[in-house]
């Protein structure tokens, strides 16, 4: 939920009208929550195979990865005309996700 709120806040940053932000923020929040939940459900079979802990932990981990994916995609869409900034955000996203994913792969059952 927190990552969906952060993603919707990133999507609304470019708007200057307060009335427009008051209308768009709840709509984008609900949309980001639904989309990240669906992406988390899609990621779950992939994560369950390699995540060696509990089922609930694997579900939480897949939802966290989906939230990070949503945040990075909204940020990349916001900086689209500047390709250097988009590339930098892509690299930062890869590093961030690998830093989060790497400690959890240490206890993978082979």
């Amino acid at each position: 939920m927190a990552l969906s709120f952060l993603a919707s806040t990133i999507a609304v940053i470019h708007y200057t009208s307060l009335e427009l932000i008051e209308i768009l923020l709840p709509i984008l929040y609900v949309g980001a929550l639904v989309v990240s939940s669906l992406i988390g459900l899609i990621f779950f079979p992939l994560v369950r195979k390699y995540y060696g802990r509990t089922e609930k932990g694997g579900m939480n981990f897949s939802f966290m990865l989906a939230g990070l994916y949503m945040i990075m995609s909204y940020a990349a869409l916001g900086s689209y005309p500047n390709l250097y900034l988009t590339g930098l955000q892509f690299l930062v996203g890869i590093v961030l996700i690998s830093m989060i994913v790497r400690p959890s792969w240490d206890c993978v059952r082979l």
Side-chain angles (χ1 to χ4, degrees):
M1 291 178 73
L3 295 176
S4 296
F5 181 72
L6 184 61
S8 61
T9 305
I10 290 172
V12 173
I13 284 176
H14 297 290
Y15 297 105
T16 57
S17 172
L18 186 60
E19 292 83 21
L20 189 61
I21 290 174
E22 289 175 351
I23 294 170
L24 283 179
L25 188 63
I27 293 170
L28 285 172
Y29 172 66
V30 170
L33 188 61
V34 168
V35 170
S36 69
S37 297
L38 292 175
I39 292 173
L41 289 175
I42 291 170
F43 282 171
F44 181 63
L46 302 172
V47 170
R48 181 178 52 192
K49 183 177 180 181
Y50 298 107
Y51 192 80
R53 297 183 186 171
T54 64
E55 185 96 5
K56 185 177 179 181
M59 185 71 82
N60 288 336
F61 187 67
S62 70
F63 285 140
M64 183 186 66
L65 287 178
L68 289 174
Y69 174 75
M70 289 287 296
I71 288 172
M72 292 310 299
S73 63
Y74 277 168
L77 284 175
S79 65
Y80 171 66
N82 189 350
L83 292 178
Y84 294 117
L85 184 59
T86 304
L88 180 66
Q89 287 177 349
F90 177 72
L91 290 176
V92 167
I94 295 268
V95 168
L96 178 68
I97 289 173
S98 67
M99 286 172 53
I100 291 172
V101 170
R102 179 173 251 193
S104 66
W105 295 132
D106 289 341
C107 56
V108 172
R109 284 186 268 164
L110 297 176

